[in-house]
Amino acid sequence: MDNSILLSPDSYELLKYISSQPETLVTNVSELSEDCLSQLVHYKLIEEHITDYTNYFPVVSSISITELGKGYLYGRQSNDAFQQSVKSIADSAKESADSSKHLAESANKLATDSKKISKSAETCADLAYKKSKKADIKGWISIGIAAFGAFIEFAIHHSEVIAFVKSLSGV
């Protein structure tokens, strides 16, 4: 596509119209915009066919698209299709980025919540450890009291205990 060809939107539409006609020959020339036709002729995208003269002036009776015109249309349509695909890719990339951002935010929230749960579990573990220390101390105190009670019982009733043990052993 020649980058120096800059058609007005109306001229581009007219070129597409001429291209779509059977055998690309348009005979209703008088109904078409003269400005657009002039622009297309200037860039050599169409050819005018003169078959009649009025008062020694040529009268254009038909027009057809040139190879350059066909190439321009193909290039512009290819460019339009390329632009659409680029836009589609950009939209898809934006959606993907938005999705990734949402995923990152979710992961960040999950990490924050996990930290809170971890701190709570640490606090519970500390409380359980302190409670177990107290229970451990109480257990040793209970053992000490039981041992002391057994010692006192043996001290008070030692003769009866010795007699009972002898009777069991048969001596």
Side-chain angles (χ1 to χ4, degrees), residues 4-84:
S4 63
I5 298 176
L6 299 173
L7 295 180
S8 68
D10 291 339
S11 295
Y12 177 62
E13 291 300 319
L14 179 59
L15 186 62
K16 287 193 326 190
Y17 169 75
I18 294 168
S19 174
S20 70
Q21 297 307 303
E23 299 175 25
T24 65
L25 188 63
V26 178
T27 56
N28 58 343
V29 177
S30 60
E31 298 173 9
L32 304 175
S33 165
E34 284 188 37
D35 291 338
C36 293
L37 287 173
S38 296
Q39 189 178 33
L40 294 173
V41 168
H42 171 74
Y43 288 122
K44 296 181 174 90
L45 300 176
I46 61 171
E47 290 179 338
E48 297 178 315
H49 305 283
I50 301 169
T51 56
D52 194 15
Y53 289 89
T54 305
N55 299 332
Y56 304 106
F57 292 105
V59 176
V60 177
S61 61
S62 65
I63 52 175
S64 63
I65 191 166
T66 63
E67 290 302 314
L68 179 62
K70 290 176 186 177
Y72 177 83
L73 273 178
Y74 176 76
R76 177 120 179 224
Q77 289 168 347
S78 296
N79 186 36
D80 290 347
F82 175 72
Q83 299 247 348
Q84 280 291 3

